[in-house]
Amino acid sequence: MIKACIFDLDGTLAYTLDSMAVVGNAVVEKYGLKPMPVENYKYYCGTGADMLVKRLLADAGDPELIHYEEARALYRTEFDKNPFYKIQHYPGMPETLNELKKRGVKLGVCSNKPHEAAIKVVERMFGNQLFDAVMGQSEQVRKKPAPDGPLKIAEQFGILPAECIYLGDSGTDMQTGKAAGMYTVGVLWGYRDKEELQENGADEFADSPEDILDIYEAKCEK
């Protein structure tokens, strides 16, 4: 029986590339480096803000990461000022989440976005009543693909990992869900392709948010 669905945030619940790109490009331009296309941020994100900055600097003209320490601090500071730039939830996602909630499913978010920013974005997109737990990156929780976040959420809910579906759009997410012992669903509307999700252990795929309800029902019937 599935009792909880735990979601990645960026590329799974919400489109957030522009919010990352506007801050990241402002940071690299400060050092006279080249701003990068928004599409590149699909591959910069997913393993935490610090890794995003490293990948960005390397592509922008600082492969030796000379500016890394200053840039990582500046990125976090500037991002926290306005994490909502052009963010939007994916079509059908609020309806799907509300339907899961009506069926008594606990809802959680586990993101590599800094914790405070994750909370702000989730509440801006979905309010503060829909999700039962939101966990972003912090010193207390190892970032994904370590399974700490989903496991802590399951513990908070008082349920077993096997009673959870973990959903995400990247190979990192698939590794996270499998390491946590959860049924792991790759979503195909996000930032990475199906091949990456498949190679990293996705149990199943969702083409649209509405598919999540079908996956939930099928798992509950087993």
Side-chain angles (χ1 to χ4, degrees):
M1 181 69 179
I2 295 298
K3 298 180 180 178
C5 288
I6 302 173
F7 294 82
D8 169 52
L9 177 52
D10 297 307
T12 300
L13 290 174
Y15 174 83
T16 56
L17 280 186
D18 287 291
S19 65
M20 293 182 277
V22 71
V23 174
N25 284 342
V27 169
V28 295
E29 286 181 304
K30 173 181 170 63
Y31 305 110
L33 301 173
K34 180 183 177 181
M36 303 309 297
V38 173
E39 283 293 300
N40 285 34
Y41 284 80
K42 287 184 177 181
Y43 306 98
Y44 299 157
C45 70
T47 47
D50 291 348
M51 184 57 71
L52 181 152
V53 172
K54 286 182 179 180
R55 291 169 176 159
L56 171 59
L57 286 172
D59 276 4
D62 181 15
E64 295 181 353
L65 304 180
I66 294 169
H67 301 290
Y68 171 64
E69 288 299 333
E70 184 179 350
R72 68 186 285 272
L74 182 60
Y75 179 87
R76 288 174 179 272
T77 299
E78 293 302 312
F79 188 86
D80 285 345
K81 289 179 181 178
N82 183 18
F84 311 126
Y85 181 77
K86 290 189 177 181
I87 63 169
Q88 55 188 322
H89 57 69
Y90 288 103
M93 186 59 74
E95 294 82 0
T96 295
L97 294 171
N98 277 296
E99 187 59 38
L100 287 168
K101 194 80 168 179
K102 287 178 186 176
R103 299 182 192 191
V105 179
K106 291 280 191 181
L107 299 178
V109 175
C110 180
S111 175
N112 273 343
K113 189 183 291 293
H115 183 65
E116 292 302 321
I119 290 174
K120 289 177 183 177
V121 170
V122 169
E123 291 187 352
R124 176 69 168 258
M125 289 283 92
F126 305 104
N128 58 11
Q129 300 297 315
L130 188 57
F131 284 96
D132 301 288
V134 177
M135 188 170 295
Q137 187 181 348
S138 69
E139 295 297 324
Q140 290 72 43
V141 180
R142 290 183 300 167
K143 67 182 181 181
K144 300 182 289 185
D148 303 29
L151 290 175
K152 283 181 177 292
I153 291 173
E155 182 180 9
Q156 180 179 324
F157 290 166
I159 61 179
L160 298 172
E163 297 173 316
C164 300
I165 295 175
Y166 182 84
L167 304 101
D169 71 311
S170 71
T172 296
D173 287 311
M174 300 304 96
Q175 293 171 24
T176 302
K178 299 304 287 185
M182 299 177 179
Y183 191 75
T184 303
V185 175
V187 307
L188 301 179
W189 56 81
Y191 302 157
R192 306 291 176 84
D193 59 28
K194 185 175 183 178
E195 184 178 6
E196 177 177 324
L197 301 174
Q198 205 160 26
E199 288 175 351
N200 286 280
D203 292 307
E204 195 166 347
F205 303 96
D207 288 304
S208 69
E210 292 81 3
D211 287 347
I212 297 169
L213 293 173
D214 294 334
I215 292 170
Y216 164 75
E217 289 174 354
K219 287 294 291 179
C220 287
E221 290 172 0
K222 292 181 179 179

Short mmCIF file of all heavy atoms in Angstrom, two decimals, residues 180-219:
data_model
loop_
_atom_site.label_atom_id
_atom_site.label_comp_id
_atom_site.label_asym_id
_atom_site.label_seq_id
_atom_site.Cartn_x
_atom_site.Cartn_y
_atom_site.Cartn_z
N ALA A 180 16.94 4.84 -1.25
CA ALA A 180 16.02 4.93 -0.11
C ALA A 180 15.09 3.73 -0.03
O ALA A 180 14.35 3.58 0.94
CB ALA A 180 15.18 6.21 -0.24
N GLY A 181 15.11 2.85 -1.04
CA GLY A 181 14.24 1.69 -1.03
C GLY A 181 12.80 2.01 -1.37
O GLY A 181 11.88 1.31 -0.93
N MET A 182 12.60 3.06 -2.17
CA MET A 182 11.26 3.50 -2.55
C MET A 182 10.98 3.16 -4.01
O MET A 182 11.91 3.02 -4.81
CB MET A 182 11.12 5.01 -2.33
CG MET A 182 11.31 5.42 -0.88
SD MET A 182 11.21 7.22 -0.64
CE MET A 182 11.44 7.29 1.15
N TYR A 183 9.70 3.04 -4.36
CA TYR A 183 9.31 2.86 -5.76
C TYR A 183 9.59 4.18 -6.47
O TYR A 183 9.08 5.23 -6.06
CB TYR A 183 7.83 2.50 -5.87
CG TYR A 183 7.44 2.03 -7.26
CD1 TYR A 183 7.80 0.76 -7.70
CD2 TYR A 183 6.72 2.86 -8.11
CE1 TYR A 183 7.44 0.32 -8.97
CE2 TYR A 183 6.36 2.43 -9.38
CZ TYR A 183 6.73 1.16 -9.81
OH TYR A 183 6.38 0.73 -11.06
N THR A 184 10.40 4.12 -7.52
CA THR A 184 11.00 5.34 -8.08
C THR A 184 10.46 5.61 -9.48
O THR A 184 10.59 4.78 -10.39
CB THR A 184 12.53 5.19 -8.10
OG1 THR A 184 12.97 4.92 -6.77
CG2 THR A 184 13.18 6.45 -8.59
N VAL A 185 9.84 6.79 -9.63
CA VAL A 185 9.19 7.16 -10.88
C VAL A 185 9.93 8.33 -11.53
O VAL A 185 10.13 9.38 -10.91
CB VAL A 185 7.72 7.55 -10.63
CG1 VAL A 185 7.07 8.06 -11.92
CG2 VAL A 185 6.94 6.35 -10.08
N GLY A 186 10.31 8.16 -12.78
CA GLY A 186 10.94 9.22 -13.55
C GLY A 186 9.89 10.02 -14.30
O GLY A 186 9.07 9.45 -15.03
N VAL A 187 9.90 11.34 -14.11
CA VAL A 187 8.93 12.19 -14.82
C VAL A 187 9.59 12.72 -16.09
O VAL A 187 10.75 13.11 -16.09
CB VAL A 187 8.41 13.33 -13.92
CG1 VAL A 187 7.89 12.76 -12.60
CG2 VAL A 187 9.48 14.37 -13.63
N LEU A 188 8.82 12.74 -17.17
CA LEU A 188 9.39 13.01 -18.49
C LEU A 188 9.14 14.43 -18.98
O LEU A 188 9.47 14.77 -20.11
CB LEU A 188 8.83 12.01 -19.52
CG LEU A 188 9.13 10.54 -19.19
CD1 LEU A 188 8.53 9.63 -20.26
CD2 LEU A 188 10.63 10.29 -19.07
N TRP A 189 8.61 15.30 -18.12
CA TRP A 189 8.40 16.70 -18.50
C TRP A 189 9.49 17.61 -17.95
O TRP A 189 9.43 18.82 -18.11
CB TRP A 189 7.04 17.18 -18.00
CG TRP A 189 6.84 17.01 -16.52
CD1 TRP A 189 7.30 17.84 -15.52
CD2 TRP A 189 6.16 15.94 -15.87
NE1 TRP A 189 6.94 17.35 -14.29
CE2 TRP A 189 6.24 16.18 -14.47
CE3 TRP A 189 5.49 14.80 -16.31
CZ2 TRP A 189 5.65 15.33 -13.53
CZ3 TRP A 189 4.93 13.96 -15.37
CH2 TRP A 189 5.00 14.22 -14.01
N GLY A 190 10.49 17.04 -17.30
CA GLY A 190 11.49 17.84 -16.61
C GLY A 190 12.72 18.17 -17.43
O GLY A 190 12.65 18.33 -18.64
N TYR A 191 13.88 18.22 -16.77
CA TYR A 191 15.10 18.75 -17.37
C TYR A 191 15.99 17.70 -18.02
O TYR A 191 16.92 18.04 -18.74
CB TYR A 191 15.91 19.50 -16.31
CG TYR A 191 15.19 20.64 -15.65
CD1 TYR A 191 15.57 21.08 -14.40
CD2 TYR A 191 14.12 21.28 -16.28
CE1 TYR A 191 14.92 22.14 -13.78
CE2 TYR A 191 13.46 22.33 -15.68
CZ TYR A 191 13.86 22.76 -14.42
OH TYR A 191 13.21 23.80 -13.80
N ARG A 192 15.77 16.43 -17.74
CA ARG A 192 16.62 15.37 -18.29
C ARG A 192 15.79 14.40 -19.13
O ARG A 192 14.57 14.39 -19.06
CB ARG A 192 17.34 14.63 -17.16
CG ARG A 192 18.13 15.56 -16.21
CD ARG A 192 19.33 16.18 -16.89
NE ARG A 192 20.02 17.13 -16.02
CZ ARG A 192 20.92 16.80 -15.12
NH1 ARG A 192 21.24 15.53 -14.92
NH2 ARG A 192 21.51 17.73 -14.38
N ASP A 193 16.46 13.56 -19.91
CA ASP A 193 15.73 12.69 -20.83
C ASP A 193 15.47 11.31 -20.22
O ASP A 193 16.01 10.94 -19.18
CB ASP A 193 16.46 12.57 -22.16
CG ASP A 193 17.89 12.02 -22.03
OD1 ASP A 193 18.15 11.25 -21.08
OD2 ASP A 193 18.73 12.35 -22.88
N LYS A 194 14.63 10.55 -20.94
CA LYS A 194 14.21 9.24 -20.45
C LYS A 194 15.39 8.30 -20.31
O LYS A 194 15.44 7.49 -19.38
CB LYS A 194 13.16 8.66 -21.40
CG LYS A 194 12.57 7.34 -20.92
CD LYS A 194 11.45 6.88 -21.84
CE LYS A 194 10.81 5.61 -21.32
NZ LYS A 194 9.68 5.18 -22.19
N GLU A 195 16.34 8.39 -21.24
CA GLU A 195 17.50 7.50 -21.20
C GLU A 195 18.26 7.65 -19.89
O GLU A 195 18.67 6.65 -19.27
CB GLU A 195 18.42 7.78 -22.38
CG GLU A 195 19.61 6.85 -22.46
CD GLU A 195 20.49 7.11 -23.66
OE1 GLU A 195 20.25 8.11 -24.38
OE2 GLU A 195 21.43 6.34 -23.87
N GLU A 196 18.47 8.88 -19.46
CA GLU A 196 19.18 9.10 -18.18
C GLU A 196 18.41 8.49 -17.02
O GLU A 196 19.00 7.87 -16.12
CB GLU A 196 19.39 10.60 -17.94
CG GLU A 196 20.05 10.89 -16.61
CD GLU A 196 20.34 12.36 -16.36
OE1 GLU A 196 20.68 13.07 -17.33
OE2 GLU A 196 20.24 12.80 -15.20
N LEU A 197 17.10 8.67 -17.02
CA LEU A 197 16.27 8.12 -15.94
C LEU A 197 16.33 6.60 -15.95
O LEU A 197 16.45 5.97 -14.89
CB LEU A 197 14.83 8.60 -16.10
CG LEU A 197 14.62 10.12 -16.09
CD1 LEU A 197 13.17 10.46 -16.41
CD2 LEU A 197 15.01 10.71 -14.75
N GLN A 198 16.26 6.04 -17.11
CA GLN A 198 16.28 4.58 -17.26
C GLN A 198 17.62 4.01 -16.79
O GLN A 198 17.66 3.00 -16.06
CB GLN A 198 16.05 4.23 -18.73
CG GLN A 198 15.48 2.86 -18.97
CD GLN A 198 14.85 2.77 -20.35
OE1 GLN A 198 15.21 3.49 -21.27
NE2 GLN A 198 13.89 1.87 -20.51
N GLU A 199 18.69 4.64 -17.19
CA GLU A 199 20.04 4.16 -16.83
C GLU A 199 20.29 4.21 -15.33
O GLU A 199 21.14 3.49 -14.81
CB GLU A 199 21.09 4.99 -17.56
CG GLU A 199 21.18 4.72 -19.05
CD GLU A 199 22.15 5.63 -19.75
OE1 GLU A 199 22.63 6.60 -19.12
OE2 GLU A 199 22.43 5.40 -20.95
N ASN A 200 19.54 5.06 -14.64
CA ASN A 200 19.76 5.22 -13.20
C ASN A 200 18.68 4.57 -12.35
O ASN A 200 18.55 4.88 -11.17
CB ASN A 200 19.89 6.70 -12.87
CG ASN A 200 21.23 7.27 -13.31
OD1 ASN A 200 22.25 7.10 -12.64
ND2 ASN A 200 21.25 7.90 -14.48
N GLY A 201 17.91 3.67 -12.96
CA GLY A 201 17.08 2.76 -12.17
C GLY A 201 15.62 3.11 -12.01
O GLY A 201 14.98 2.57 -11.09
N ALA A 202 15.06 3.97 -12.87
CA ALA A 202 13.63 4.27 -12.74
C ALA A 202 12.80 3.00 -12.83
O ALA A 202 13.00 2.17 -13.70
CB ALA A 202 13.21 5.25 -13.83
N ASP A 203 11.85 2.83 -11.91
CA ASP A 203 10.94 1.69 -11.95
C ASP A 203 9.84 1.89 -12.97
O ASP A 203 9.32 0.92 -13.53
CB ASP A 203 10.31 1.47 -10.57
CG ASP A 203 11.31 1.01 -9.53
OD1 ASP A 203 12.03 0.03 -9.79
OD2 ASP A 203 11.39 1.65 -8.47
N GLU A 204 9.48 3.16 -13.19
CA GLU A 204 8.36 3.48 -14.08
C GLU A 204 8.51 4.93 -14.51
O GLU A 204 9.28 5.69 -13.93
CB GLU A 204 7.04 3.26 -13.35
CG GLU A 204 5.83 3.20 -14.24
CD GLU A 204 4.59 2.64 -13.53
OE1 GLU A 204 4.74 2.08 -12.42
OE2 GLU A 204 3.49 2.77 -14.09
N PHE A 205 7.72 5.33 -15.53
CA PHE A 205 7.80 6.69 -16.04
C PHE A 205 6.42 7.32 -16.08
O PHE A 205 5.41 6.64 -16.29
CB PHE A 205 8.40 6.71 -17.45
CG PHE A 205 9.75 6.09 -17.53
CD1 PHE A 205 9.91 4.77 -17.90
CD2 PHE A 205 10.88 6.82 -17.20
CE1 PHE A 205 11.16 4.18 -17.96
CE2 PHE A 205 12.14 6.25 -17.25
CZ PHE A 205 12.28 4.93 -17.63
N ALA A 206 6.39 8.62 -15.88
CA ALA A 206 5.16 9.40 -15.99
C ALA A 206 5.32 10.42 -17.10
O ALA A 206 6.26 11.21 -17.08
CB ALA A 206 4.85 10.10 -14.67
N ASP A 207 4.42 10.39 -18.08
CA ASP A 207 4.46 11.34 -19.18
C ASP A 207 3.82 12.67 -18.82
O ASP A 207 4.11 13.69 -19.43
CB ASP A 207 3.74 10.77 -20.41
CG ASP A 207 4.53 9.65 -21.08
OD1 ASP A 207 5.69 9.90 -21.45
OD2 ASP A 207 4.00 8.55 -21.22
N SER A 208 2.93 12.65 -17.84
CA SER A 208 2.23 13.85 -17.40
C SER A 208 1.89 13.72 -15.92
O SER A 208 1.86 12.59 -15.39
CB SER A 208 0.94 14.05 -18.21
OG SER A 208 0.00 13.05 -17.86
N PRO A 209 1.63 14.83 -15.23
CA PRO A 209 1.25 14.72 -13.82
C PRO A 209 0.05 13.82 -13.59
O PRO A 209 -0.02 13.12 -12.56
CB PRO A 209 0.95 16.18 -13.44
CG PRO A 209 1.87 16.98 -14.30
CD PRO A 209 1.85 16.24 -15.62
N GLU A 210 -0.89 13.80 -14.54
CA GLU A 210 -2.07 12.94 -14.38
C GLU A 210 -1.70 11.46 -14.30
O GLU A 210 -2.40 10.67 -13.65
CB GLU A 210 -3.03 13.17 -15.55
CG GLU A 210 -3.70 14.54 -15.56
CD GLU A 210 -2.84 15.66 -16.13
OE1 GLU A 210 -1.72 15.37 -16.60
OE2 GLU A 210 -3.28 16.82 -16.10
N ASP A 211 -0.58 11.08 -14.94
CA ASP A 211 -0.14 9.68 -14.89
C ASP A 211 0.21 9.24 -13.47
O ASP A 211 0.17 8.04 -13.16
CB ASP A 211 1.09 9.48 -15.77
CG ASP A 211 0.76 9.50 -17.25
OD1 ASP A 211 -0.43 9.43 -17.60
OD2 ASP A 211 1.71 9.61 -18.05
N ILE A 212 0.55 10.19 -12.63
CA ILE A 212 0.93 9.85 -11.25
C ILE A 212 -0.23 9.17 -10.53
O ILE A 212 -0.04 8.22 -9.75
CB ILE A 212 1.40 11.11 -10.48
CG1 ILE A 212 2.66 11.68 -11.14
CG2 ILE A 212 1.65 10.79 -9.01
CD1 ILE A 212 3.04 13.06 -10.63
N LEU A 213 -1.45 9.63 -10.79
CA LEU A 213 -2.63 9.02 -10.15
C LEU A 213 -2.80 7.58 -10.61
O LEU A 213 -3.11 6.69 -9.80
CB LEU A 213 -3.88 9.83 -10.48
CG LEU A 213 -3.96 11.22 -9.87
CD1 LEU A 213 -5.16 11.98 -10.42
CD2 LEU A 213 -4.02 11.15 -8.35
N ASP A 214 -2.57 7.32 -11.89
CA ASP A 214 -2.68 5.95 -12.41
C ASP A 214 -1.63 5.05 -11.78
O ASP A 214 -1.90 3.89 -11.43
CB ASP A 214 -2.52 5.94 -13.93
CG ASP A 214 -3.66 6.66 -14.64
OD1 ASP A 214 -4.76 6.74 -14.08
OD2 ASP A 214 -3.42 7.16 -15.77
N ILE A 215 -0.40 5.57 -11.64
CA ILE A 215 0.68 4.78 -11.02
C ILE A 215 0.35 4.49 -9.58
O ILE A 215 0.52 3.35 -9.10
CB ILE A 215 2.02 5.55 -11.15
CG1 ILE A 215 2.45 5.61 -12.62
CG2 ILE A 215 3.10 4.89 -10.29
CD1 ILE A 215 3.60 6.54 -12.88
N TYR A 216 -0.15 5.49 -8.87
CA TYR A 216 -0.55 5.30 -7.47
C TYR A 216 -1.61 4.23 -7.33
O TYR A 216 -1.52 3.32 -6.50
CB TYR A 216 -1.02 6.63 -6.89
CG TYR A 216 -1.81 6.48 -5.61
CD1 TYR A 216 -1.16 6.20 -4.41
CD2 TYR A 216 -3.20 6.62 -5.60
CE1 TYR A 216 -1.88 6.03 -3.23
CE2 TYR A 216 -3.91 6.48 -4.44
CZ TYR A 216 -3.26 6.18 -3.25
OH TYR A 216 -3.98 6.03 -2.10
N GLU A 217 -2.66 4.33 -8.16
CA GLU A 217 -3.76 3.36 -8.08
C GLU A 217 -3.27 1.95 -8.40
O GLU A 217 -3.66 0.99 -7.74
CB GLU A 217 -4.87 3.78 -9.05
CG GLU A 217 -5.62 5.02 -8.59
CD GLU A 217 -6.62 5.51 -9.61
OE1 GLU A 217 -6.66 4.94 -10.74
OE2 GLU A 217 -7.36 6.46 -9.30
N ALA A 218 -2.41 1.82 -9.42
CA ALA A 218 -1.90 0.51 -9.78
C ALA A 218 -1.08 -0.10 -8.66
O ALA A 218 -1.17 -1.32 -8.38
CB ALA A 218 -1.06 0.61 -11.06
N LYS A 219 -0.28 0.70 -8.00
CA LYS A 219 0.55 0.20 -6.89
C LYS A 219 -0.33 -0.20 -5.69
O LYS A 219 -0.01 -1.16 -4.99
CB LYS A 219 1.54 1.27 -6.45
CG LYS A 219 2.69 1.50 -7.41
CD LYS A 219 3.61 0.28 -7.49
CE LYS A 219 4.38 0.06 -6.21
NZ LYS A 219 5.25 -1.15 -6.29
#
